[in-house]
Coordinates of all heavy atoms in Angstrom, one line a residue:
M22 N 92.7 76.3 123.3 CA 91.6 77.0 122.5 C 91.6 76.5 121.1 O 92.6 76.4 120.4 CB 91.8 78.5 122.6 CG 90.8 79.3 121.9 SD 89.2 79.7 122.8 CE 89.7 80.1 124.4
D23 N 90.4 76.0 120.7 CA 90.3 75.5 119.3 C 90.3 76.6 118.3 O 89.8 77.7 118.5 CB 89.0 74.7 119.2 CG 89.0 73.4 119.9 OD1 90.1 72.9 120.2 OD2 87.9 73.0 120.3
V24 N 91.0 76.4 117.2 CA 91.1 77.3 116.1 C 90.2 76.9 114.9 O 90.2 75.7 114.6 CB 92.5 77.5 115.6 CG1 92.6 78.4 114.4 CG2 93.4 78.0 116.8
I25 N 89.4 77.8 114.4 CA 88.6 77.5 113.2 C 89.1 78.4 112.1 O 89.8 79.4 112.3 CB 87.1 77.7 113.5 CG1 86.8 79.1 113.9 CG2 86.6 76.7 114.5 CD1 86.2 79.9 112.8
R26 N 88.7 78.1 110.9 CA 89.1 78.9 109.7 C 87.9 79.2 108.9 O 87.1 78.3 108.6 CB 90.2 78.1 108.9 CG 91.5 77.9 109.6 CD 92.5 77.0 108.9 NE 93.7 76.9 109.7 CZ 93.8 76.1 110.7 NH1 92.8 75.4 111.1 NH2 94.9 76.0 111.4
F27 N 87.9 80.4 108.4 CA 86.9 80.8 107.5 C 87.5 81.7 106.4 O 88.7 82.0 106.4 CB 85.7 81.6 108.2 CG 86.1 82.9 108.8 CD1 85.9 84.1 108.1 CD2 86.6 83.0 110.1 CE1 86.2 85.3 108.6 CE2 86.9 84.2 110.6 CZ 86.7 85.4 109.9
R28 N 86.7 82.0 105.4 CA 87.2 82.8 104.3 C 86.6 84.2 104.3 O 85.4 84.4 104.6 CB 86.8 82.2 102.9 CG 87.2 80.7 102.8 CD 88.7 80.4 102.6 NE 89.2 80.9 101.4 CZ 90.5 80.8 101.1 NH1 91.4 80.3 101.9 NH2 91.0 81.2 99.9
F29 N 87.5 85.2 104.1 CA 87.0 86.6 104.0 C 87.4 87.1 102.6 O 88.6 87.2 102.4 CB 87.6 87.4 105.1 CG 87.3 88.9 105.0 CD1 86.0 89.3 105.0 CD2 88.3 89.8 104.8 CE1 85.7 90.7 104.8 CE2 88.0 91.1 104.6 CZ 86.7 91.6 104.6
D30 N 86.5 87.4 101.8 CA 86.8 87.8 100.4 C 87.8 86.9 99.8 O 88.8 87.4 99.1 CB 87.3 89.3 100.4 CG 86.1 90.3 100.7 OD1 84.9 89.9 100.6 OD2 86.4 91.4 101.0
G31 N 87.7 85.6 100.0 CA 88.6 84.6 99.4 C 89.9 84.4 100.2 O 90.6 83.5 99.8
R32 N 90.2 85.1 101.2 CA 91.4 85.0 101.9 C 91.1 84.2 103.2 O 90.1 84.4 103.9 CB 92.0 86.3 102.3 CG 92.5 87.1 101.0 CD 93.1 88.4 101.4 NE 92.0 89.3 101.9 CZ 91.4 90.2 101.1 NH1 91.6 90.3 99.8 NH2 90.5 91.0 101.6
G33 N 92.0 83.3 103.6 CA 91.9 82.5 104.8 C 92.1 83.3 106.1 O 93.0 84.1 106.2
I34 N 91.2 83.2 107.0 CA 91.3 83.8 108.3 C 91.1 82.8 109.4 O 90.3 81.9 109.4 CB 90.1 84.9 108.5 CG1 90.1 85.9 107.4 CG2 90.2 85.5 109.9 CD1 91.2 86.9 107.4
E35 N 92.0 82.9 110.4 CA 91.9 82.0 111.6 C 91.2 82.7 112.7 O 91.4 83.9 112.9 CB 93.3 81.5 112.1 CG 93.9 80.6 111.1 CD 95.2 80.0 111.7 OE1 95.7 80.5 112.7 OE2 95.7 79.0 111.1
A36 N 90.4 82.0 113.5 CA 89.7 82.6 114.6 C 89.6 81.5 115.7 O 89.7 80.3 115.5 CB 88.2 83.0 114.2
E37 N 89.5 82.0 116.9 CA 89.3 81.1 118.1 C 87.9 80.7 118.1 O 87.0 81.5 117.8 CB 89.7 81.8 119.4 CG 91.2 82.1 119.4 CD 91.6 82.8 120.7 OE1 90.7 83.0 121.6 OE2 92.7 83.2 120.8
Q38 N 87.6 79.5 118.5 CA 86.2 79.0 118.6 C 85.5 80.0 119.5 O 85.9 80.3 120.6 CB 86.2 77.6 119.3 CG 84.9 76.9 119.3 CD 84.6 76.3 118.0 OE1 85.4 75.7 117.3 NE2 83.3 76.4 117.6
G39 N 84.3 80.4 119.1 CA 83.5 81.3 119.8 C 83.7 82.8 119.6 O 83.0 83.6 120.0
Q40 N 84.8 83.1 118.8 CA 85.1 84.5 118.5 C 84.1 85.0 117.4 O 83.7 84.3 116.5 CB 86.5 84.6 118.0 CG 87.2 85.9 117.9 CD 88.6 85.9 117.6 OE1 89.1 85.0 116.9 NE2 89.4 86.8 118.1
S41 N 83.8 86.3 117.5 CA 83.0 86.9 116.5 C 83.8 87.1 115.2 O 85.0 87.2 115.3 CB 82.4 88.3 117.0 OG 83.4 89.2 117.1
I42 N 83.0 87.3 114.1 CA 83.7 87.5 112.9 C 84.4 88.9 113.0 O 85.6 89.0 112.5 CB 82.7 87.6 111.7 CG1 82.2 86.1 111.5 CG2 83.2 88.2 110.5 CD1 81.0 86.1 110.5
G43 N 83.8 89.9 113.6 CA 84.4 91.2 113.7 C 85.8 91.1 114.5 O 86.8 91.7 114.1
A44 N 85.8 90.4 115.6 CA 87.0 90.3 116.4 C 88.1 89.5 115.6 O 89.3 89.9 115.6 CB 86.7 89.5 117.7
A45 N 87.7 88.5 114.9 CA 88.6 87.8 114.1 C 89.2 88.6 113.0 O 90.4 88.6 112.7 CB 88.0 86.5 113.5
L46 N 88.4 89.4 112.3 CA 88.9 90.3 111.3 C 89.8 91.3 111.8 O 90.9 91.6 111.2 CB 87.7 90.9 110.5 CG 86.9 90.0 109.6 CD1 85.7 90.8 109.0 CD2 87.7 89.3 108.6
I47 N 89.5 91.9 112.9 CA 90.4 92.9 113.6 C 91.7 92.2 113.9 O 92.8 92.8 113.7 CB 89.7 93.6 114.8 CG1 88.6 94.5 114.3 CG2 90.8 94.3 115.6 CD1 87.8 95.1 115.4
A48 N 91.7 91.0 114.5 CA 92.9 90.3 114.9 C 93.7 90.0 113.7 O 95.0 89.9 113.8 CB 92.5 89.0 115.6
A49 N 93.1 89.9 112.5 CA 93.8 89.6 111.3 C 94.3 90.9 110.6 O 94.9 90.8 109.5 CB 92.9 88.8 110.3
G50 N 94.0 92.0 111.2 CA 94.5 93.3 110.6 C 93.6 94.1 109.8 O 93.9 95.2 109.3
Y51 N 92.3 93.6 109.7 CA 91.3 94.4 108.9 C 90.7 95.4 109.8 O 90.4 95.2 111.0 CB 90.3 93.5 108.4 CG 90.8 92.5 107.3 CD1 91.3 91.3 107.7 CD2 91.0 93.0 106.0 CE1 91.8 90.4 106.7 CE2 91.5 92.1 105.0 CZ 91.9 90.8 105.4 OH 92.4 90.0 104.5
R52 N 90.3 96.6 109.3 CA 89.7 97.6 110.1 C 88.3 98.0 109.4 O 87.5 98.7 110.1 CB 90.5 98.9 110.2 CG 91.8 98.6 111.0 CD 91.4 98.3 112.5 NE 92.6 98.0 113.3 CZ 93.1 96.8 113.5 NH1 92.5 95.7 113.0 NH2 94.1 96.6 114.3
S53 N 88.1 97.7 108.2 CA 86.8 98.0 107.5 C 86.5 96.9 106.6 O 87.4 96.2 106.0 CB 86.9 99.3 106.8 OG 87.8 99.3 105.7
W54 N 85.2 96.6 106.4 CA 84.7 95.6 105.5 C 83.3 95.9 105.0 O 82.6 95.0 104.6 CB 84.7 94.2 106.2 CG 84.1 94.2 107.6 CD1 82.8 94.1 107.9 CD2 84.8 94.3 108.8 NE1 82.6 94.2 109.2 CE2 83.9 94.3 109.8 CE3 86.2 94.4 109.2 CZ2 84.2 94.4 111.2 CZ3 86.5 94.5 110.5 CH2 85.5 94.5 111.5
R55 N 83.0 97.1 105.0 CA 81.7 97.5 104.4 C 81.9 99.0 103.9 O 82.8 99.7 104.4 CB 80.6 97.6 105.5 CG 79.3 98.0 105.0 CD 78.2 98.0 106.1 NE 78.3 99.1 107.0 CZ 77.6 100.3 106.7 NH1 77.0 100.4 105.6 NH2 77.7 101.3 107.6
S56 N 81.1 99.3 102.9 CA 81.1 100.7 102.5 C 79.7 101.3 102.6 O 78.7 100.6 102.4 CB 81.7 100.9 101.0 OG 80.9 100.1 100.2
T57 N 79.6 102.6 102.9 CA 78.3 103.2 103.1 C 77.6 103.3 101.7 O 78.2 103.3 100.7 CB 78.5 104.6 103.7 OG1 79.3 105.4 102.8 CG2 79.1 104.5 105.1
R58 N 76.3 103.4 101.8 CA 75.4 103.4 100.7 C 75.6 104.6 99.7 O 75.7 104.4 98.5 CB 73.9 103.4 101.1 CG 73.5 102.1 101.8 CD 72.1 102.2 102.3 NE 72.0 101.2 103.4 CZ 70.9 101.2 104.2 NH1 70.0 102.0 104.1 NH2 70.9 100.3 105.1
R59 N 75.7 105.8 100.3 CA 75.7 106.9 99.5 C 77.1 107.4 99.0 O 77.3 107.7 97.9 CB 75.0 108.1 100.2 CG 73.5 107.8 100.3 CD 72.8 109.0 100.7 NE 71.4 108.6 100.8 CZ 70.6 109.0 101.8 NH1 71.0 109.8 102.7 NH2 69.3 108.6 101.8
T60 N 78.0 107.4 100.0 CA 79.4 107.9 99.7 C 80.5 106.9 99.6 O 81.6 107.2 99.3 CB 79.7 109.0 100.7 OG1 79.8 108.4 102.0 CG2 78.7 110.1 100.7
G61 N 80.2 105.6 99.9 CA 81.2 104.6 99.8 C 82.3 104.7 100.9 O 83.4 104.1 100.6
Q62 N 82.0 105.3 102.0 CA 83.0 105.4 103.0 C 83.2 104.0 103.7 O 82.2 103.3 104.0 CB 82.6 106.4 104.1 CG 82.5 107.8 103.5 CD 83.8 108.3 103.0 OE1 84.8 108.3 103.7 NE2 83.9 108.7 101.7
P63 N 84.4 103.7 104.1 CA 84.7 102.4 104.8 C 84.1 102.4 106.2 O 84.2 103.4 106.9 CB 86.2 102.3 104.8 CG 86.7 103.8 104.7 CD 85.6 104.5 103.9
R64 N 83.6 101.2 106.6 CA 83.1 101.0 107.9 C 83.6 99.6 108.4 O 83.7 98.7 107.7 CB 81.6 101.1 108.0 CG 81.0 102.5 107.7 CD 81.3 103.4 108.8 NE 80.7 104.7 108.5 CZ 81.3 105.8 107.9 NH1 82.5 105.6 107.4 NH2 80.6 106.9 107.8
G65 N 83.7 99.5 109.8 CA 84.0 98.3 110.4 C 83.3 98.3 111.8 O 82.2 98.8 111.9
V66 N 84.0 97.8 112.8 CA 83.4 97.8 114.1 C 83.4 99.2 114.7 O 84.5 99.9 114.7 CB 84.2 96.9 115.1 CG1 83.8 97.1 116.5 CG2 83.9 95.4 114.7
F67 N 82.3 99.7 115.2 CA 82.2 101.0 115.9 C 81.8 100.8 117.3 O 82.5 101.0 118.2 CB 81.3 101.9 115.1 CG 81.2 103.3 115.7 CD1 82.3 104.1 115.8 CD2 80.0 103.7 116.3 CE1 82.2 105.4 116.4 CE2 79.9 105.0 116.9 CZ 81.0 105.8 116.9
C68 N 80.6 100.3 117.5 CA 80.1 100.1 118.9 C 80.5 98.8 119.5 O 80.8 98.7 120.7 CB 78.6 100.2 119.0 SG 77.7 98.8 118.2
G69 N 80.6 97.8 118.6 CA 81.0 96.5 119.1 C 80.0 95.7 119.9 O 80.2 94.6 120.4
I70 N 78.7 96.2 120.0 CA 77.7 95.6 120.8 C 76.4 95.4 120.1 O 75.3 95.2 120.7 CB 77.5 96.3 122.1 CG1 77.1 97.8 121.9 CG2 78.7 96.2 123.0 CD1 76.7 98.6 123.1
G71 N 76.4 95.5 118.7 CA 75.2 95.3 118.0 C 74.2 96.4 117.8 O 73.1 96.2 117.4
V72 N 74.6 97.6 118.1 CA 73.7 98.8 118.1 C 73.8 99.6 116.8 O 72.8 100.0 116.2 CB 73.9 99.7 119.3 CG1 73.1 100.9 119.2 CG2 73.6 98.9 120.6
C73 N 75.0 99.8 116.3 CA 75.2 100.8 115.2 C 75.1 100.3 113.8 O 74.8 101.0 112.9 CB 76.6 101.5 115.4 SG 78.0 100.4 114.9
F74 N 75.2 99.0 113.6 CA 75.1 98.4 112.3 C 76.2 98.8 111.3 O 76.1 98.7 110.1 CB 73.7 98.5 111.7 CG 72.7 97.7 112.4 CD1 72.2 98.1 113.6 CD2 72.1 96.6 111.8 CE1 71.2 97.3 114.3 CE2 71.2 95.8 112.4 CZ 70.7 96.2 113.7
D75 N 77.3 99.4 111.8 CA 78.4 99.8 111.0 C 79.2 98.5 110.5 O 79.9 98.6 109.5 CB 79.4 100.7 111.7 CG 79.1 102.1 111.4 OD1 78.1 102.4 110.7 OD2 79.8 103.0 111.9
C76 N 79.1 97.4 111.1 CA 80.0 96.3 110.9 C 79.4 95.2 109.9 O 79.8 94.1 109.9 CB 80.3 95.6 112.2 SG 78.9 94.9 113.1
L77 N 78.3 95.6 109.2 CA 77.6 94.6 108.4 C 78.5 93.9 107.4 O 79.4 94.5 106.7 CB 76.5 95.3 107.7 CG 75.4 95.9 108.6 CD1 74.3 96.5 107.7 CD2 74.8 94.8 109.5
V78 N 78.3 92.6 107.3 CA 79.0 91.8 106.3 C 78.0 90.8 105.7 O 76.9 90.6 106.2 CB 80.2 90.9 106.9 CG1 81.4 91.8 107.2 CG2 79.7 90.2 108.1
T79 N 78.4 90.2 104.6 CA 77.7 89.1 104.0 C 78.3 87.8 104.5 O 79.5 87.6 104.3 CB 77.7 89.2 102.5 OG1 77.1 90.5 102.1 CG2 76.9 88.1 101.8
V80 N 77.5 86.9 105.0 CA 78.0 85.6 105.5 C 77.2 84.5 104.8 O 76.0 84.4 104.9 CB 77.8 85.5 107.1 CG1 78.3 84.2 107.6 CG2 78.5 86.7 107.8
N81 N 78.0 83.7 104.1 CA 77.4 82.6 103.4 C 76.2 83.0 102.5 O 75.2 82.4 102.5 CB 76.9 81.5 104.4 CG 78.1 80.9 105.2 OD1 79.2 80.8 104.7 ND2 77.9 80.6 106.4
G82 N 76.4 84.2 101.9 CA 75.4 84.7 100.9 C 74.3 85.5 101.6 O 73.5 86.1 100.9
S83 N 74.3 85.6 102.9 CA 73.2 86.4 103.6 C 73.8 87.8 104.0 O 74.7 87.8 104.9 CB 72.7 85.7 104.8 OG 72.1 84.5 104.5
P84 N 73.3 88.9 103.4 CA 73.9 90.2 103.7 C 73.3 90.7 105.0 O 72.4 90.1 105.6 CB 73.3 91.1 102.6 CG 72.1 90.4 102.1 CD 72.3 88.9 102.3
N85 N 73.9 91.8 105.5 CA 73.4 92.5 106.7 C 73.6 91.7 108.0 O 72.7 91.8 108.9 CB 71.9 93.0 106.5 CG 71.8 93.8 105.3 OD1 72.6 94.7 105.1 ND2 70.8 93.5 104.5
Q86 N 74.6 91.0 108.1 CA 75.0 90.3 109.3 C 75.9 91.1 110.1 O 76.9 91.6 109.6 CB 75.6 88.9 109.0 CG 74.8 88.0 108.1 CD 73.4 87.8 108.7 OE1 73.2 87.3 109.8 NE2 72.4 88.1 107.9
R87 N 75.6 91.3 111.4 CA 76.5 92.2 112.2 C 77.7 91.3 112.6 O 77.6 90.4 113.4 CB 75.8 92.7 113.5 CG 74.8 93.8 113.1 CD 73.9 94.1 114.3 NE 72.9 93.0 114.5 CZ 72.0 93.1 115.4 NH1 71.9 94.1 116.2 NH2 71.1 92.1 115.5
A88 N 78.9 91.8 112.1 CA 80.1 91.0 112.4 C 80.5 91.0 113.9 O 81.1 90.1 114.3 CB 81.3 91.7 111.6
C89 N 80.1 92.0 114.6 CA 80.4 92.1 116.0 C 79.6 91.1 116.9 O 80.0 90.8 118.0 CB 80.2 93.5 116.6 SG 78.5 94.1 116.7
L90 N 78.5 90.6 116.3 CA 77.7 89.6 117.1 C 77.7 88.2 116.5 O 77.3 87.3 117.1 CB 76.2 90.1 117.1 CG 76.0 91.4 117.8 CD1 74.5 91.8 117.8 CD2 76.5 91.4 119.3
T91 N 78.1 88.1 115.2 CA 78.0 86.9 114.5 C 79.2 86.0 114.8 O 80.4 86.4 114.5 CB 77.9 87.1 113.0 OG1 76.7 87.9 112.8 CG2 77.7 85.8 112.3
E92 N 79.0 84.8 115.4 CA 80.1 84.0 115.7 C 80.8 83.4 114.4 O 80.0 83.0 113.5 CB 79.7 82.8 116.6 CG 80.8 81.9 117.0 CD 80.3 80.8 117.9 OE1 79.3 81.0 118.7 OE2 80.8 79.7 117.9
A93 N 82.1 83.5 114.3 CA 82.8 82.9 113.2 C 82.7 81.3 113.3 O 82.9 80.8 114.3 CB 84.2 83.3 113.2
R94 N 82.3 80.8 112.2 CA 82.2 79.3 112.1 C 83.1 78.7 111.0 O 83.3 79.4 110.0 CB 80.7 78.9 111.9 CG 79.8 79.4 112.9 CD 78.5 78.6 113.0 NE 77.6 79.2 114.0 CZ 77.6 78.8 115.3 NH1 78.5 77.9 115.7 NH2 76.8 79.3 116.1
H95 N 83.6 77.5 111.3 CA 84.5 76.9 110.3 C 83.9 76.8 108.9 O 82.7 76.5 108.8 CB 84.8 75.5 110.8 CG 86.0 74.9 110.1 ND1 87.3 75.4 110.2 CD2 86.1 73.9 109.3 CE1 88.1 74.7 109.5 NE2 87.4 73.7 108.9
D96 N 84.7 77.2 108.0 CA 84.3 77.2 106.5 C 83.3 78.3 106.1 O 82.8 78.2 105.0 CB 83.8 75.8 106.1 CG 84.9 74.8 106.0 OD1 86.1 75.2 105.9 OD2 84.6 73.6 106.1
D97 N 82.9 79.2 107.0 CA 82.1 80.3 106.6 C 82.7 81.0 105.4 O 83.9 81.1 105.3 CB 81.9 81.3 107.8 CG 80.8 81.0 108.7 OD1 80.0 80.1 108.4 OD2 80.7 81.7 109.7
Q98 N 81.9 81.6 104.6 CA 82.3 82.4 103.5 C 81.8 83.8 103.8 O 80.6 84.1 103.7 CB 81.7 82.0 102.1 CG 82.1 80.5 101.8 CD 83.6 80.4 101.4 OE1 84.2 81.3 100.8 NE2 84.2 79.3 101.9
V99 N 82.7 84.7 104.2 CA 82.4 86.0 104.6 C 82.9 87.0 103.5 O 84.0 86.8 103.0 CB 83.1 86.4 106.0 CG1 82.8 87.8 106.4 CG2 82.6 85.4 107.1
A100 N 82.0 88.0 103.2 CA 82.4 88.9 102.1 C 82.1 90.3 102.5 O 81.2 90.6 103.3 CB 81.6 88.5 100.9
T101 N 82.9 91.2 102.0 CA 82.7 92.7 102.1 C 81.3 93.0 101.6 O 80.9 92.4 100.6 CB 83.8 93.4 101.3 OG1 85.0 93.1 101.8 CG2 83.5 94.9 101.3
Q102 N 80.6 93.9 102.3 CA 79.3 94.3 101.9 C 79.3 95.7 101.3 O 79.8 96.6 101.9 CB 78.3 94.2 103.1 CG 76.9 94.6 102.6 CD 75.9 94.2 103.7 OE1 76.0 93.1 104.2 NE2 75.0 95.1 104.0
E103 N 78.8 95.8 100.1 CA 78.7 97.1 99.4 C 77.3 97.6 99.6 O 76.4 97.0 99.3 CB 79.0 96.9 97.9 CG 80.4 96.3 97.6 CD 81.5 97.2 97.9 OE1 81.4 98.4 97.9 OE2 82.6 96.6 98.2
G104 N 77.3 98.9 100.0 CA 76.0 99.5 100.2 C 75.0 98.8 101.0 O 75.4 98.3 102.1
A105 N 73.8 98.6 100.6 CA 72.7 98.0 101.4 C 72.9 96.4 101.4 O 72.2 95.8 102.2 CB 71.4 98.3 100.9
G106 N 73.7 95.9 100.5 CA 73.9 94.5 100.5 C 72.6 93.7 100.1 O 72.5 92.6 100.6
R107 N 71.8 94.3 99.3 CA 70.5 93.6 99.0 C 70.4 93.2 97.6 O 69.3 93.0 97.1 CB 69.3 94.5 99.4 CG 69.3 94.7 100.9 CD 68.1 95.6 101.2 NE 68.1 95.8 102.7 CZ 67.4 96.7 103.3 NH1 66.7 97.6 102.6 NH2 67.4 96.8 104.6
D108 N 71.5 93.1 96.9 CA 71.4 92.8 95.5 C 70.8 91.5 95.1 O 70.1 91.4 94.1 CB 72.9 92.8 94.9 CG 73.5 94.2 94.8 OD1 72.7 95.2 95.0 OD2 74.7 94.3 94.7
H109 N 70.9 90.6 96.1 CA 70.3 89.3 95.8 C 68.8 89.3 95.8 O 68.1 88.4 95.4 CB 70.8 88.2 96.8 CG 70.2 88.4 98.2 ND1 70.4 89.5 99.0 CD2 69.4 87.6 98.9 CE1 69.8 89.4 100.1 NE2 69.1 88.2 100.1
L110 N 68.2 90.4 96.4 CA 66.7 90.5 96.4 C 66.1 91.1 95.2 O 64.9 91.0 94.9 CB 66.3 91.3 97.6 CG 66.7 90.8 99.0 CD1 66.3 91.8 100.1 CD2 66.1 89.4 99.2
A111 N 67.0 91.7 94.3 CA 66.5 92.4 93.1 C 66.1 91.3 92.1 O 66.7 90.2 92.0 CB 67.6 93.3 92.5
G112 N 65.1 91.7 91.3 CA 64.7 90.8 90.2 C 63.9 89.7 90.7 O 63.6 88.7 90.2
Ligands
LIG8 S1 79.9 97.4 115.6 FE1 78.0 98.3 116.0 S2 76.6 96.8 115.4 FE2 78.5 95.9 115.1

């Protein structure tokens, strides 16, 4: 199985080729990578099938990517998402 590497909040993460970002983060020991808009509660994978949107991350500058469905790719820059993750749209 081929191994790829990506960055999560600046830290190196290894994943198997074809593995989702969410699966790779869980395998690396992470359980949450987003906070809710109003109360800032931590969220990670809940449904694991693309329905709940709890697992949103920012990937290569694009917010609102579902980590459970998004395939990890070599050299991706993945970041924790705060709130709605739409700061780049302001202004
Ligand atoms: S965990 Fe529910 S959409 Fe990703």
Side-chain angles (χ1 to χ4, degrees):
M22 183 79 45
D23 290 335
V24 173
I25 58 104
R26 291 173 183 78
F27 66 95
R28 308 290 290 178
F29 172 63
D30 287 346
R32 294 178 290 267
I34 303 288
E35 289 190 347
E37 295 179 5
Q38 188 81 40
Q40 193 172 30
S41 71
I42 289 172
L46 290 177
I47 288 172
Y51 294 94
R52 295 295 178 264
S53 64
W54 47 82
R55 178 178 83 84
S56 58
T57 59
R58 294 176 202 168
R59 295 196 179 134
T60 61
Q62 297 297 306
R64 293 290 185 268
V66 167
F67 181 65
C68 72
I70 57 172
V72 175
C73 73
F74 288 73
D75 263 2
C76 63
L77 297 178
V78 286
T79 298
V80 181
N81 300 324
S83 296
N85 302 315
Q86 306 301 307
R87 287 171 287 183
C89 69
L90 297 182
T91 304
E92 182 177 331
R94 300 201 182 272
H95 192 68
D96 288 337
D97 272 350
Q98 300 292 320
V99 179
T101 296
Q102 182 162 314
E103 303 293 332
R107 294 181 179 161
D108 290 346
H109 75 294
L110 299 176

